């Protein structure tokens, strides 16, 4: 099932559900599969193959998209990573190698311009951390209320993610206030 709305604040707050439609005697364990993408790019489609594989193995899989940050807010993080990289390259490259120095200087600047392009691509500036985590907590609330309709067991829910999605999955369960916001609590 595609593009089920889990919250109505933003058009990215939708999820896909993968499950076996054949008659099932018991509810399936639920896996919430959160996509990566540096909190700024990508969507739930990136986790489709893994979601299908898990569903074929008896899980009910919920794969959400979440609101993304604007790169404007990520620029200091990118600069903190790129400046030392550039200095290191300049120290390791012989001063006579002008081409390598030019590449060392050009690459970080080019990456900043690439990320600036994402900034101008319609990502809203008010969508910043920790709104991503809030979105995942809203997904957990949706699952607890609605997953029965898709043969899922709301009392047997796991959450996983890739890259930024792993950060969001972990943050959702280890910070008590995140799930308390939606009247849930993690059980370990």
């Amino acid at each position: 099932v595609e593009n089920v709305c889990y919250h109505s604040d933003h058009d990215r707050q939708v999820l896909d559900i993968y499950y076996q439609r054949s008659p099932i005697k018991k509810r399936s364990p639920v896996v919430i599969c959160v996509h990566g993408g540096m909190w700024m790019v990508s969507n739930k489609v990136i986790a489709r193959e893994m979601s299908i594989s898990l569903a074929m193995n008896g899980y009910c899989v919920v794969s959400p998209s979440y609101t993304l940050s604007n790169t404007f807010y990520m620029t200091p993080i990118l600069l903190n990573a790129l400046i030392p990289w550039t200095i290191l390259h300049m120290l390791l490259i012989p001063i006579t190698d002008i081409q390598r120095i030019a590449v060392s200087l050009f690459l970080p600047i080019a990456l900043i311009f690439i990320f600036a392009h994402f900034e101008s691509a319609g990502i809203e500036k008010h969508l910043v951390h920790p709104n991503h985590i809030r979105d995942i907590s809203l997904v957990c609330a949706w699952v607890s209320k609605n997953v029965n309709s898709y043969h899922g067991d709301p009392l047997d829910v796991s959450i996983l993610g890739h890259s930024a999605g792993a950060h969001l999955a972990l943050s959702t369960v280890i910070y008590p206030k995140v799930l308390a916001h939606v009247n849930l609590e993690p059980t370990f």
Side-chain angles (χ1 to χ4, degrees):
V1 180
E2 293 185 348
N3 296 318
V4 176
C5 179
Y6 64 86
H7 197 67
S8 59
D9 282 353
H10 196 274
D11 61 353
R12 290 191 55 84
Q13 293 172 319
V14 294
L15 52 84
D16 291 348
I17 306 152
Y18 302 85
Y19 66 101
Q20 294 181 357
R21 293 178 190 240
S22 59
I24 299 174
K25 294 179 183 174
K26 65 175 191 156
R27 299 278 173 204
S28 299
V30 179
V31 176
I32 300 170
C33 186
V34 186
H35 71 82
M38 300 184 328
W39 310 277
M40 298 182 295
V41 296
S42 197
N43 62 37
K44 60 189 167 48
V45 175
I46 199 169
R48 181 173 285 155
E49 284 185 38
M50 182 171 48
S51 298
I52 291 170
S53 178
L54 286 167
M56 289 174 59
N57 284 288
Y59 293 91
C60 175
V61 183
V62 175
S63 182
S65 286
Y66 52 86
T67 53
L68 301 174
S69 283
N70 190 309
T71 55
F72 172 78
Y73 295 100
M74 299 300 284
T75 301
I77 295 168
L78 295 171
L79 288 174
N80 286 335
L82 293 173
I83 289 172
W85 180 85
T86 302
I87 292 170
L88 179 66
H89 273 73
M90 290 185 72
L91 293 174
L92 296 177
I93 298 168
I95 202 72
T96 58
D97 195 344
I98 301 299
Q99 288 177 327
R100 285 189 164 185
I101 292 172
V103 169
S104 273
L105 292 173
F106 172 75
L107 186 59
I109 293 168
L111 288 173
I112 290 169
F113 280 110
I114 289 168
F115 285 113
H117 169 72
F118 285 124
E119 181 176 335
S120 63
I123 301 171
E124 300 168 36
K125 289 186 178 179
H126 70 280
L127 301 176
V128 296
H129 180 77
N131 285 347
H132 322 92
I133 298 170
R134 178 181 163 269
D135 281 1
I136 302 308
S137 72
L138 292 169
V139 170
C140 293
W142 184 93
V143 164
S144 73
K145 293 174 188 166
N146 299 290
V147 79
N148 275 326
S149 302
Y150 304 96
H151 305 291
D153 182 353
L155 300 176
D156 188 2
V157 179
S158 300
I159 185 168
L160 61 84
H162 171 259
S163 191
H167 165 256
L168 298 177
L170 182 62
S171 297
T172 300
V173 297
I174 65 169
Y175 296 119
K177 290 182 180 180
V178 174
L179 286 176
H181 166 74
V182 291
N183 299 317
L184 295 173
E185 63 181 56
T187 57
F188 298 103

